[in-house]
Amino acid sequence: MSASALISVDKVRRQYGRLTAVHELSFTLQRGQVLGLLGPNGAGKSTTLQMVCGVLAPTSGEIAIDGVSLAKHPLRAKQRLGYLADTPPVYPEMRVVEYLTHCARLRRVAGRDVAKRVADVIERCGLGDVRRRLIGQLSKGMLQRVGIAQAIVHQPQVVVLDEPTIGLDPLQILEIRRLIRRLGDDYGVLISTHILPEVQAVCDRVLIINRGQLVYDGPPVAESAAQSARIVDARFSQAVSAEHFTELQGLTAAKARSPQHWELQFVDDAAAQRALATAVSEGLAVRSWQPMEPSLEHLFMEIVTRDEIAAAAEAEVRA
Amino acid sequence: MILIIARREFGGFALTPFGPVLLAFCQLLLAYLFLSYVDSFLVRQAELAALPNSPGATQWVVTQWLAIASIVMLAALPLITMKSFSDEWRGGTMSLLLSAPASSLQIVLGKFIGILAVIGLIVATAALMPISLHLGTTADFGLIAAAMLGLFLLLMAFAAIGLYMSSLTRQPSTAAFSTFGILLLLWLLEWTVTDDITGSRAVFAYVSLFRHFQPFIQGQIVVADVMYFVLVCALFLGLTVRRLEAQRRFD
């Protein structure tokens, strides 16, 4: 736990009745970082974010925002945060500018600064054209921008966004991601999502949680590119059977997607390159040979399925 | 902080079509009732004047009018308080309040004061009716002031109960109906109390909101009755604060 961490979460547990949603979760967020909280639906992402923002109290454990304990000094800690929940917390009968003014006051922005901060945030989130519109009439993308604007209007140190791109069209998703990326320059940002490419697009670091437990904490791409490049996506012009690969040196596994489409795994990158040469020289008609991009998806699927298998095995032992 | 939340609460009521429509209907009903009592006074004026200790126009009209008006408000108030917390939970805006640097007490007081502003508006416009008696006769302003203070305190207690019920559920309709049920029960308690208030009846008599309201509409301001309404408010606002805290911890 370094003192300079913007968010420090220490052994936090949260129970809903007898169900434990979050088990002993610990992590920190440093200044200038965009941290992604990734996990399947129901993994405990929203619960974790709600605890960080003081909406829910943890059953046990400590949370501090910029070194201020959320349990002991809730008002001081909350002044340092901005939060966008999974549904934007807006009042449909208010106008955008009225709503943001209300939020700024609610977050204790000094009276003389309110108008300026609201104008800044409208500019920053691209809300200029709709500032006089009723919030209830806005499109989902605009609504999400209003939600983000509300979370940063008081210039907090920490911005917490819960699934900020859910329900948006692809163009809007790109815009919101760009906005989040820019926020990362000035604030510490914590976002949750179940969309893998999103994490790769905007995060510096990723936490993967499954069933309320932290299963991965690290950069959003696998450790070394070479490690992932060992897997090759190969397509052939004719049907190919497993016997064709017996000659290939350094092949560790071959998985057939279809007779013409295989996923081949090699011991290292060099072996994969040699294998291509061998395959071509032996007259296999290779249509495409593509080393897989280092991907979080692999990592994620691996971790989550491994967990599922472990849980199933455990259940079997108990039975 | 409290005033910022109060302003929003009042705005939530005044900016939606629901608020003004509700207020308009309240005024319509109150005005109709008022008119009918003025009419009955005019019809029976001679008869009443012959009575020893005859009631003046203000007394005759206001006392009877507010006894009925309080029942109209008993039905209307739950509709004013029902959305307070339920709608914030349902619309997802509760996260805005809970993550803001405001304590649970500030949130509850803010909402309560916002509702008091609505109630103040109702009482102020209702007060114009008995004051209009002054056009035709000499109105008893002392009695009107006491009666309006009583109405305000009664509605304030209704509001505290309604606010608590609203914090218990996400459904405004559930909040409204349970508030109405409780207020109606408190009103019915009055019926079990006859002139003989001894033993267990004394408890009912004490709990009944309306028994504490009656002296006001007869022109008396009794400190014990004022304190009673203040205590009812404190009790239910305290329960609401506890409810918010419990929700953070256990829900």
Side-chain angles (χ1 to χ4, degrees), chain B residues 185-233:
Chain B
L185 192 68
L186 286 172
W187 182 64
L188 291 178
L189 284 181
E190 171 71 12
W191 284 9
T192 65
V193 183
T194 50
D195 289 335
D196 167 31
I197 43 169
T198 51
S200 62
R201 282 184 178 163
V203 177
F204 284 139
Y206 187 75
V207 171
S208 167
L209 283 167
F210 292 86
R211 201 161 188 87
H212 294 275
F213 175 54
Q214 256 148 19
F216 288 100
I217 57 178
Q218 284 153 7
Q220 304 163 24
I221 299 175
V222 182
V223 174
D225 292 329
V226 175
M227 285 314 293
Y228 169 84
F229 286 117
V230 171
L231 283 177
V232 169
C233 288

Side-chain angles (χ1 to χ4, degrees), chain B residues 132-166:
Chain B
S132 73
L133 286 176
H134 199 63
L135 296 174
T137 173
T138 312
D140 178 350
F141 287 110
L143 186 126
I144 292 172
M148 287 302 152
L149 174 67
L151 184 64
F152 185 80
L153 289 171
L154 181 75
L155 297 187
M156 183 168 97
F158 284 2
I161 294 170
L163 201 58
Y164 178 57
M165 298 318 279
S166 178

Side-chain angles (χ1 to χ4, degrees), chain A residues 14 16 53-57 75 78-79 83 85 87 89-91 93-94 99 102-103 105-108 150, chain B residues 1 4-5 7-8 12 15-16 88 92-93 95-103 106 247-251:
Chain A
R14 170 71 199 197
Y16 291 109
C53 296
V55 172
L56 289 177
L75 302 194
K78 283 177 187 175
Q79 212 160 344
Y83 173 46
T87 47
V90 293
Y91 299 105
E93 75 275 11
M94 286 176 113
Y99 170 71
H102 169 69
C103 292
R105 294 202 179 112
L106 196 62
R107 307 286 190 175
R108 296 181 191 268
Q150 134 325 103
Chain B
M1 182 55 61
I4 294 161
I5 297 170
R7 217 172 110 172
R8 164 62 220 155
L15 290 177
T16 52
E88 302 255 12
T93 45
S95 69
L96 185 66
L97 282 176
L98 292 179
S99 66
S103 66
Q106 285 173 326
Q247 242 156 355
R248 264 181 227 224
R249 223 157 281 153
F250 305 113
D251 259 25

Side-chain angles (χ1 to χ4, degrees), chain B residues 22-23 37 81 91 124 137 171 197 203:
Chain B
L22 184 75
L23 289 189
Y37 283 111
T81 56
T137 173
Q171 306 295 333
I197 43 169
V203 177

Side-chain angles (χ1 to χ4, degrees), chain A residues 138-145 148 164-180 198:
Chain A
L138 295 182
S139 68
K140 193 118 206 297
M142 279 296 168
L143 211 59
Q144 205 66 25
R145 288 198 210 178
I148 292 176
T165 58
I166 204 160
L168 301 183
D169 69 39
L171 201 66
Q172 293 168 329
I173 290 179
L174 283 180
E175 281 173 9
I176 297 285
R177 282 186 190 158
R178 213 173 296 143
L179 188 58
I180 294 170
E198 184 150 298

